[in-house]
Amino acid sequence: MYDTPNTERAVDQKDIKFSAKGVQVYYGDTHAIKDVDVALEDKTVTAFIGPSGCGKSTFLRCLNRMNDTIDICRVEGDILLDGEDIYDKKVDPVQLRAKVGMVFQKPNPFPKSIYDNIAYGPRIHGMAKNKADLDEIVERALRRGAIWDEVKDRLQAPGTGLSGGQQQRLCIARAVATEPEVLLMDEPCSALDPIATAQVEELIDELRTQYSVVIVTHSMQQAARVSQKTAFFHLGNLVEFGETGKIFTNPEDPRTESYITGRIG
Amino acid sequence: MPTLWLFLIVLGVAAAGYVLGRGRALQSVEGDNRKLHSLPSYYGSNVLIKVVVPAFLLMIAWLLIQPIVVGNTISGMIPDRSVDNKGSLGLVMAEVRRTAEGLDNAIAQGLMDEDFVNNARADLADVTQRLKDAGQIVTSEVTQPILNAAQRYRVMNATGNLMMTIAVLVLAVLGALWGLRESHGDFRARNTVEKSIRALLIGAASIAILTTIGIILSLVFNTIEFFRLYPASDFFFGTNWAPSFSGRGGSSDLGVLPLLWGTFYISIVALAVAVPIGLFAAIYLSEYASPKVRSVAKPLLEVLAGIPTIVYGLFALLTVGPLLLKVFGDDGLGIMQAGTAVMTAGLVMGIMLIPFVSSLSDDIINAVPQSMRDGSYGLGATQSETIRQVVLPAALPGIVGAILLAASRAIGETMIVVLGAGAAARLSLNPFEAMTTVTAKIVSQLTGDADFASPEALVAFALGMTLFVITLGLNVFALYIVRKYREQYE
Amino acid sequence: MTDATLNGASGGGHGRSSLKTIDANTKRRNAAEKRFRAYGMAAIGIGLFFLVVLFFSIIRSGLPAFTQTVVEMEFTITQEQYEEAEGQLFKTKAYSNLFITQLQQQLEERGLELDFDEAAIERLLGKVGGNLREYYAGNQNRIGEPVEFSLSASSRVDGYFNGRVTRESMQDSRFLMASDLDLVDAMAEAGIIKSEFNWNFITGADSGVDNPGGAGIGASVVGSFFMMLVVLVLSLPIGVAASIYLEEFAPQNRFTDLIEVNISNLAAVPSIVFGILGLAVFIQFMHLPQSAPLVGGLVLTLMTLPTIIISTRASLKSVPPSIRDAALGVGASKMQAVFHHVLPLAMPGILTGTIIGLAQALGETAPLLLIGMVGFVARGYPDGFVAGFTEPNSAMPAQIYTWAARADASFYEKAWGGIIILLAFLLTMNIIAIILRRRFERRW
């Protein structure tokens, strides 16, 4: 746990995983994201913070083209993953989403068994040669989701029967089962109690060693605890982006300061 | 029409009571309506209710009970000999009623007078002749016991009606007086009136229960009557359906199995058409279609549900039947004998059920929360994978419920099978053969010439009972599943 | 799944492959996606196709019912001819012969020469002589001057004109022979025989089984109208009262549950069962008159009630509780709040539901069969308002069924025509319901 942000660690140079340039998002006539430029690093936890309705979740959903499922949503500008435009005509969003996994605000396990919940992704992407292979993938994912010990005896029980915190870790395990390179998390702890939140935060920190993690959060404390980089959004603008420690201790923009000190938001 | 007049008179008393009650209440506070407990109209309504409700209740009860009492007295008068001649008491009673009506009409035409009609020793031949002159007799001859019974019937009804008129009017006036006595300023008229209205509302809501009771009673009594004449085991396990209208009982085979088989076979064909088409249509409309396509295609499909079943019946008989016959008949594959067949009725019924399945499934698929779909898309599933592996399994209980409701619809459907399925009851596997169903036979047994008391007619009630029990079971089960399903996502 | 696993092993969908190259596994999945989508479109297409076929066959087979073929001819009879005909033994035959002579003359004037006998005329026009004699017996003053006669042709000739009977499909019978068609063609050329709108079909009553040409649906429209009047007068107040109770006043208890369960089950009980109920309770037990619109209306009321209650409750529910609170807040009683505020606001929805329920009842056939609204011929209109409810009559769907069940195929055309009229009524009712909803729908 990083109760005080470790600035040294963030200094070492890392590969850029995502880079966005001049991104605009419209919902019908509403201009939801205004000209956002940002570069997200690999093997880093990046937090998006800001008051509700500021566009942080919308921007997150652009990164794996989840906004495609909303008819009235329109995205302009470039978003590059490993240097490739993900909004290119040739890119299949299905392939993209296998690379960029997502965890949602409310735990949403499928009404299937725990095993089938995890195996769903690997199955549709054809990742397992045989049953034993699939079993192994499921076990690895559940272990990485830090829930293996709790469910290993009841893999055939329905996923909806777990507690809220367990469900959310199941959903994280489900997301990592497809071996993504980036993990997007949309307020993953907002529906959880403090103990479950602590477990999930611990998990996020472990995931950082293998994945690039982007987390949207309402809680500034959480952003400070789990992330190395922080982006502050306000009214659709990316106001400030930088080292988490710097944002929270010495913000450049007056709006960031007002938000962090609780005057707006 | 004396009952109508009585009805109007009671209404008149009620209207007068309203005006008087309102006036009396105002008078009691010297016209200052601020001193009244309730608005003046409530005092009037209070009187009105006290006039109308008891009087009409008595009237309805009397009208229901009088025929029973009269009927019982009269049937006691009829000697067994005439019953034997006619076959059943019911027929004799019908004859008595007809004769009595004939006498009434003859009086109205001025061919007889009251005294002549009521003369118990009247000459039978003379009466018959005069009735014939008046054009009132259709049946053969009026016999002495029947004439006497008819005379008695007229007298009893006349006295009964007179007594009813008096009783109802007295009750109406008493009600008016009671209400008027209460009409003074301190009386809580609004509360009283509202209590009565509430009772009225409860009464209206109870009609649903009364209807169910009515259905069950009318089925149960006649079914018991049927099983007295025809063994229940032969009905439930008999594999032959061959009612005879010539003889009276005994020579008929009334086994329900061929009818049940026909019913289920046609329903299965119908569901085989309606379920895939309806389900895929629902999936397309709820998951793929743009709002524009949806707003056009959905109502158009639902037009199919609004078309009366007689139209589908005709469509089966005159369009689909001949069309199938062209393909599968003697000129084509040679496996179909006539246009009316299981396939014809099943296909058309399937078309009718498409919108039923699709709009129910559409609702149910829409009830699956969006977060489920997001979860699946977030893992990189395509839309069809999401639908097949996440949405449909989640919606499965609801869809099963919808299909069961559709099945119950198919089993209870009448007009399509009456016109499109043929009339022969048989146990066969060939879907191009004519078969018949429970509903079709209910119609044919009750609209034929069979006498109501014969097993050939009563069997319709046993068939109705079977149908009611099956569909009720399906409905209760389906509604239970659908409700459980909805609760899961609420 | 085998090729999928192979592809998966070679890096399907993840790893360091470029996003712009679509791998084989994804291609396969996208193809499955397209197929699935196509199934959905096909299902919609099939459904709409059935709809089109249904309407096409209704209109194609039903429109001929609205036309009839008539022979219009100027006919003159002199005083001598009249007296001579009246003096003969077979008077109508004499009139027929006069008619035939004049018809022949008129055809010749137009340069058409044909030989035909009285039997042919009878096959085409029925007993012409009788009609003529009847006319002149009543209008002696018209003797000697030309009179324009309009005689309706037989249903077979109707069939020939609207394509149901063709020369190829026709076999010589005692109803129509091939030679008759030559005569019909000649008369058509001479402008003597032509098609005109069949008002009798819309306004008339049913004819006997042997006269398809004269059958009309008017009397059964009246029967249906009286039935709907009963349904409306009973089911609207009862339905609204029951809904108000259940939605606004009913406590949560077993009795309420019982009513709720009953209503939802009654909505799904087969309509034929309601027919049995009507037969047993209204006819056998209460001795109400058979085949009467009153009984039909009562049965349909019981059938429609659940529909009306369900839709009324939905529209009561859509009135926000704040309205009730506002009324109660100024000291209105619960009853006053409901009747003064909630009910008027819910009224458009209630009326829409009622109209749709009525439309459903209007097309219902099965229960009417059991209470005897078929199996007799409704030959006339009821002769009074009260009689309209209690005298035997038919109803539109029952009349259509009666025609469809008759052996003579000429009645099928009438049945289809009846369906067009029935659907026209249903369409009108539904359009009114839609307009009501559009115009008064309130969004809270």
Side-chain angles (χ1 to χ4, degrees):
Chain A
M1 286 262 228
Y2 291 85
D3 288 321
T4 49
N6 188 334
T7 41
E8 261 179 348
R9 186 188 276 270
V11 172
D12 12 336
Q13 204 54 49
K14 283 175 178 167
D15 298 336
I16 300 296
K17 196 70 190 165
F18 261 117
S19 72
K21 283 191 192 74
V23 174
Q24 319 274 353
V25 180
Y26 302 89
Y27 282 114
D29 296 334
T30 325
H31 196 174
I33 297 283
K34 295 163 195 160
D35 205 19
V36 167
D37 293 326
V38 72
L40 307 175
E41 290 166 0
D42 200 6
K43 305 215 181 342
T44 307
V45 177
T46 309
F48 289 174
I49 59 169
S52 15
C54 67
K56 52 194 193 303
S57 285
T58 304
F59 186 68
L60 188 78
R61 289 168 70 94
C62 289
L63 298 181
N64 70 343
R65 295 184 56 174
M66 276 303 277
N67 284 332
D68 288 16
T69 58
I70 299 164
D71 290 328
I72 54 163
C73 183
R74 198 152 47 82
V75 179
E76 286 169 12
D78 295 324
I79 300 178
L80 307 180
L81 173 64
D82 294 328
E84 285 180 311
D85 185 0
I86 63 168
Y87 280 90
D88 191 286
K89 275 208 182 74
K90 283 185 222 149
V91 173
D92 192 322
V94 165
Q95 249 171 298
L96 169 71
R97 288 179 202 145
K99 273 189 176 187
V100 184
M102 187 154 189
V103 175
F104 297 85
Q105 187 168 5
K106 242 177 81 184
N108 54 352
F110 303 135
K112 301 163 174 274
S113 69
I114 293 170
Y115 183 93
D116 286 338
N117 260 288
I118 305 294
Y120 177 73
R123 273 196 189 124
I124 58 172
H125 294 298
M127 287 165 62
K129 286 192 199 69
N130 50 37
K131 177 84 174 74
D133 210 11
L134 191 60
D135 287 349
E136 203 188 302
I137 292 175
V138 170
E139 183 178 339
R140 196 166 56 226
L142 284 171
R143 278 186 195 283
R144 231 183 270 170
I147 193 181
W148 170 251
D149 291 332
E150 291 157 67
V151 300
K152 66 176 178 228
D153 305 323
R154 45 172 175 151
L155 289 177
Q156 294 310 320
T160 42
L162 297 172
S163 73
Q166 287 174 322
Q167 282 189 8
Q168 192 62 302
R169 279 180 286 149
L170 179 71
C171 291
I172 294 173
R174 188 176 68 188
V176 301
T178 56
E179 306 274 338
E181 295 163 26
V182 182
L183 207 53
L184 308 178
M185 296 184 158
D186 190 357
E187 301 187 34
C189 300
S190 67
L192 303 182
D193 62 53
I195 295 170
T197 301
Q199 288 168 329
V200 170
E201 283 179 5
E202 201 173 339
L203 176 58
I204 291 170
D205 192 55
E206 284 166 23
L207 292 173
R208 181 169 61 89
T209 56
Q210 278 155 315
Y211 310 99
S212 163
V213 178
V214 185
I215 175 169
V216 165
T217 178
H218 243 50
S219 137
M220 283 170 283
Q221 289 82 354
Q222 186 174 52
R225 285 195 297 266
V226 299
S227 69
Q228 290 80 50
K229 287 285 183 96
T230 296
F232 171 63
F233 285 82
H234 185 241
L235 300 175
N237 296 306
L238 174 62
V239 176
E240 198 168 348
F241 177 62
E243 303 290 332
T244 300
K246 181 163 176 298
I247 294 262
F248 279 98
T249 51
N250 188 16
E252 282 171 10
D253 196 284
R255 286 172 291 178
T256 318
E257 194 185 354
S258 312
Y259 180 68
I260 286 166
T261 51
R263 258 177 290 165
I264 57 170
Chain B
M1 229 196 178
T3 324
L4 183 69
W5 278 114
L6 184 57
F7 180 79
L8 292 179
I9 291 171
V10 172
L11 284 189
V13 174
Y18 179 89
V19 176
L20 287 176
R22 192 175 178 280
R24 230 180 99 93
L26 277 175
Q27 208 180 23
S28 71
V29 288
E30 283 116 21
D32 181 3
N33 58 13
R34 283 172 303 175
K35 286 188 189 154
L36 288 174
H37 169 269
S38 318
L39 291 174
S41 61
Y42 280 107
Y43 293 91
S45 307
N46 177 43
V47 183
L48 185 130
I49 287 168
K50 280 176 177 143
V51 174
V52 167
V53 171
F56 282 166
L57 280 182
L58 179 74
M59 203 160 129
I60 290 168
W62 200 297
L63 285 176
L64 283 179
I65 291 167
Q66 183 175 312
I68 299 174
V69 174
V70 173
N72 280 341
T73 324
I74 302 288
S75 54
M77 279 173 59
I78 293 171
D80 291 343
R81 193 166 36 83
S82 352
V83 175
D84 291 343
N85 283 344
K86 283 287 172 189
S88 81
L89 190 62
L91 275 188
V92 179
M93 288 304 295
E95 183 112 17
V96 169
R97 265 192 294 279
R98 257 201 306 278
T99 314
E101 231 169 77
L103 291 172
D104 283 342
N105 291 338
I107 290 172
Q109 290 178 17
L111 281 166
M112 302 180 187
D113 55 28
E114 196 70 34
D115 290 339
F116 177 83
V117 166
N118 290 339
N119 182 359
R121 262 177 249 137
D123 179 29
L124 194 60
D126 187 21
V127 173
T128 315
Q129 191 52 47
R130 288 190 191 218
L131 279 175
K132 275 188 180 151
D133 290 346
Q136 292 301 336
I137 294 196
V138 266
T139 52
S140 52
E141 290 268 302
V142 177
T143 58
Q144 191 66 50
I146 287 183
L147 179 62
N148 288 348
Q151 287 169 337
R152 186 71 199 279
Y153 179 85
R154 289 191 68 246
V155 173
M156 281 187 75
N157 269 338
T159 347
N161 285 342
L162 185 67
M163 276 159 64
M164 177 178 82
T165 311
I166 294 168
V168 167
L169 286 181
V170 166
L171 204 60
V173 172
L174 283 180
L177 292 179
W178 178 25
L180 284 176
R181 256 180 67 105
E182 286 176 340
S183 301
H184 50 80
D186 299 334
F187 179 61
R188 295 171 165 243
R190 184 176 55 72
N191 307 43
T192 319
V193 170
E194 286 187 352
K195 247 182 229 156
S196 322
I197 292 179
R198 203 186 154 101
L200 223 66
L201 297 183
I202 295 178
S206 313
I207 285 186
I209 298 181
L210 288 181
T211 309
T212 309
I213 293 175
I215 289 176
I216 291 173
L217 287 186
S218 52
L219 287 174
V220 164
F221 278 120
N222 286 301
T223 305
I224 291 173
E225 188 67 26
F226 169 68
F227 285 142
R228 224 178 262 154
L229 298 169
Y230 191 90
S233 58
D234 288 4
F235 172 73
F236 284 118
F237 303 109
T239 55
N240 189 25
W241 175 268
S244 91
F245 285 106
S246 51
R248 223 170 235 124
S251 56
S252 293
D253 275 339
L254 301 171
V256 75
L257 288 182
L259 305 185
L260 280 180
W261 170 242
T263 305
F264 286 125
Y265 204 178
I266 291 173
S267 305
I268 286 167
V269 173
L271 290 180
V273 173
V275 170
I277 296 179
L279 201 52
F280 269 110
I283 289 170
Y284 188 81
L285 285 178
S286 61
E287 302 282 328
Y288 287 106
S290 64
K292 230 182 185 167
V293 172
R294 193 180 150 88
S295 69
V296 175
K298 200 174 151 76
L300 273 183
L301 271 187
E302 274 162 13
V303 167
L304 281 175
I307 291 175
T309 56
I310 175 79
V311 180
Y312 285 106
L314 218 60
F315 185 58
L317 177 70
L318 300 179
T319 308
V320 176
L323 207 70
L324 287 177
L325 196 61
K326 227 178 246 172
V327 181
F328 299 100
D330 289 334
D331 301 338
L333 297 173
I335 47 173
M336 197 172 177
Q337 301 303 323
T340 53
V342 169
M343 208 59 190
T344 314
L347 195 64
V348 174
M349 204 187 280
I351 296 173
M352 181 190 83
L353 290 177
I354 289 173
F356 193 75
V357 173
S358 79
S359 56
L360 274 176
S361 310
D362 190 16
D363 289 352
I364 281 158
I365 289 172
N366 280 332
V368 174
Q370 182 62 28
S371 69
M372 292 270 167
R373 296 184 182 88
D374 282 348
S376 178
Y377 296 145
L379 291 170
T382 63
Q383 216 168 346
S384 65
E385 285 162 348
T386 306
I387 293 163
R388 270 180 306 173
Q389 298 180 32
V390 177
V391 177
L392 285 187
L396 192 65
I399 289 173
V400 169
I403 292 172
L404 287 182
L405 282 178
S408 135
R409 261 269 172 106
I411 290 171
E413 174 47 45
T414 311
M415 294 322 294
I416 294 176
V417 292
V418 165
L419 288 170
R426 56 165 70 94
L427 285 161
S428 157
L429 276 174
N430 181 0
F432 293 101
E433 238 174 313
M435 280 184 212
T436 193
T437 66
V438 173
T439 51
K441 282 299 143 190
I442 292 177
V443 170
S444 69
Q445 296 311 104
L446 285 179
T447 53
D449 298 326
D451 147 28
F452 257 0
S454 71
E456 282 79 13
L458 285 174
V459 70
F461 292 97
L463 291 175
M465 189 84 196
T466 316
L467 181 69
F468 183 69
V469 169
I470 293 174
T471 51
L472 187 72
L474 276 176
N475 293 339
V476 170
F477 187 52
L479 289 175
Y480 171 78
I481 292 182
V482 171
R483 189 179 304 162
K484 277 270 160 251
Y485 167 76
R486 289 196 186 286
E487 278 166 7
Q488 184 192 334
Y489 290 119
E490 259 165 19
Chain C
M1 196 62 193
T2 43
D3 63 340
T5 33
L6 276 176
N7 289 327
S10 59
H14 44 94
R16 281 282 164 184
S17 63
S18 165
L19 276 173
K20 287 181 186 171
T21 48
I22 302 208
D23 57 66
N25 185 30
T26 312
K27 273 188 192 141
R28 186 187 55 78
R29 288 168 58 200
N30 283 341
E33 169 74 24
K34 276 208 188 95
R35 272 202 305 281
F36 192 78
R37 212 183 155 112
Y39 295 151
M41 272 149 90
I44 302 266
I46 293 171
L48 295 182
F49 169 74
F50 283 141
L51 186 69
V52 170
V53 170
L54 185 61
F55 274 92
F56 177 73
S57 59
I58 289 171
I59 289 173
R60 203 199 52 175
S61 326
L63 279 185
F66 292 91
T67 57
Q68 64 174 351
T69 319
V70 290
V71 169
E72 274 179 358
M73 206 183 90
E74 218 176 66
F75 183 80
T76 329
I77 194 168
T78 61
Q79 189 66 33
E80 299 85 63
Q81 282 173 321
Y82 174 70
E83 277 159 14
E84 194 195 332
E86 286 296 319
Q88 288 193 9
L89 184 58
F90 299 109
K91 296 183 182 68
T92 56
K93 190 169 160 53
Y95 282 97
S96 289
N97 286 335
L98 285 171
F99 178 77
I100 288 167
T101 327
Q102 293 210 7
L103 178 60
Q104 245 156 356
Q105 271 175 11
Q106 294 196 10
L107 287 176
E108 268 166 33
E109 276 168 27
R110 291 172 171 88
L112 298 155
E113 256 182 75
L114 272 162
D115 202 31
F116 50 88
D117 57 2
E118 200 204 334
I121 289 298
E122 197 179 317
R123 284 195 296 269
L124 295 182
L125 297 174
K127 310 253 185 220
V128 180
N131 290 343
L132 292 179
R133 185 173 173 230
E134 210 173 289
Y135 177 78
Y136 283 110
N139 302 286
Q140 300 236 357
N141 54 334
R142 304 299 300 266
I143 292 173
E145 51 187 288
V147 179
E148 187 76 27
F149 274 97
S150 171
L151 304 157
S152 53
S154 77
S155 63
R156 297 300 187 293
V157 180
D158 273 343
Y160 179 64
F161 261 75
N162 51 43
R164 182 160 46 82
V165 178
T166 61
R167 279 173 187 270
E168 290 76 37
S169 76
M170 194 197 76
Q171 293 152 334
D172 278 0
S173 71
R174 63 190 179 88
F175 295 118
L176 194 63
M177 315 235 289
S179 60
D180 298 341
L181 294 183
D182 297 334
L183 178 58
V184 171
D185 285 344
M187 280 163 47
E189 207 178 306
I192 292 173
I193 195 165
K194 56 182 159 191
S195 279
E196 63 175 31
F197 192 77
N198 187 358
W199 279 108
N200 179 55
F201 177 66
I202 294 176
T203 57
D206 192 13
S207 58
V209 284
D210 47 359
N211 179 18
I217 200 164
S220 53
V221 171
V222 173
S224 278
F225 170 75
F226 278 109
M227 243 160 53
M228 289 306 112
L229 218 56
V230 175
V231 176
L232 181 66
V233 164
L234 291 179
S235 67
L236 183 60
I238 296 178
V240 170
S243 313
I244 287 179
Y245 177 71
L246 291 174
E247 207 51 54
E248 307 284 342
F249 295 103
Q252 278 288 338
N253 61 19
R254 281 227 187 120
F255 181 67
T256 310
D257 282 350
L258 187 68
I259 296 177
E260 304 248 6
V261 168
N262 263 298
I263 289 172
S264 55
N265 281 323
L266 281 180
V269 165
S271 58
I272 185 104
V273 173
F274 283 96
I276 295 182
L277 170 78
L279 176 69
V281 173
F282 296 131
I283 292 179
Q284 277 188 330
F285 181 68
M286 291 191 191
H287 297 299
L288 292 176
Q290 265 203 6
S291 321
L294 175 68
V295 180
L298 285 173
V299 172
L300 293 180
T301 299
L302 295 182
M303 248 188 70
T304 322
L305 263 181
T307 320
I308 292 185
I309 291 179
I310 289 168
S311 69
T312 303
R313 289 186 65 179
S315 37
L316 286 176
K317 210 176 270 175
S318 72
V319 177
S322 60
I323 301 279
R324 293 173 186 82
D325 294 344
L328 296 178
V330 296
S333 69
K334 176 96 196 193
M335 197 66 82
Q336 285 168 327
V338 170
F339 279 91
H340 295 172
H341 298 281
V342 179
L343 193 56
L345 288 172
M347 219 51 210
I350 294 173
L351 288 181
T352 311
T354 308
I355 292 173
I356 287 170
L358 278 182
Q360 234 177 46
L362 184 64
E364 195 55 64
T365 322
L368 303 185
L369 303 187
L370 295 195
I371 57 167
M373 296 197 88
V374 291
F376 80 101
V377 177
R379 279 182 201 269
Y381 288 95
D383 51 5
F385 185 73
V386 174
F389 292 106
T390 53
E391 259 179 23
N393 201 339
S394 193
M396 274 190 276
Q399 184 66 67
I400 292 167
Y401 171 75
T402 311
W403 284 333
R406 282 192 184 152
D408 188 342
S410 316
F411 276 112
Y412 292 165
E413 185 184 289
K414 301 288 169 188
W416 286 115
I419 281 177
I420 292 182
I421 302 228
L422 177 63
L423 288 182
F425 275 106
L426 293 183
L427 192 69
T428 317
M429 291 168 88
N430 278 295
I431 287 176
I432 292 174
I434 290 171
I435 290 174
L436 261 180
R437 185 164 14 202
R438 288 265 162 85
R439 188 147 159 61
F440 295 105
E441 192 178 50
R442 215 181 279 254
R443 294 200 179 278
W444 300 99

